[in-house]
Amino acid sequence: MSTEEGAPSASEEMKRKFKEALDKKNARHRDGESHLDGESAVHAANAPQTRREFRRKSG
């Protein structure tokens, strides 16, 4: 197996492609707004807590 010293191997080429795709993905996410000042639609997430009552089945 002889490879040229200037040519990247298949694994190096794959790593380069993945890095480019990851950089492109991260750049797209950085451009958006964070919406940290927005208010949640859920205000009362928990229902009033009552003690549960368990009864045996008769019959």
Side-chain angles (χ1 to χ4, degrees):
M1 278 178 23
S2 65
T3 60
E4 297 178 21
E5 289 187 22
S9 67
S11 64
E12 290 174 0
E13 182 70 21
M14 186 67 71
K15 286 180 186 179
R16 185 185 62 79
K17 286 182 181 179
F18 273 105
K19 180 159 177 38
E20 286 177 3
L22 183 62
D23 290 342
K24 184 178 175 183
K25 176 184 168 189
N26 288 337
R28 181 176 55 214
H29 285 289
R30 276 187 241 124
D31 292 340
E33 298 177 13
S34 61
H35 302 289
L36 295 176
D37 58 344
E39 188 176 332
S40 174
V42 179
H43 295 287
N46 295 331
Q49 298 296 321
T50 58
R51 186 164 178 92
R52 290 186 68 177
E53 187 174 322
F54 294 96
R55 296 187 178 196
R56 291 184 184 269
K57 197 174 186 181
S58 63

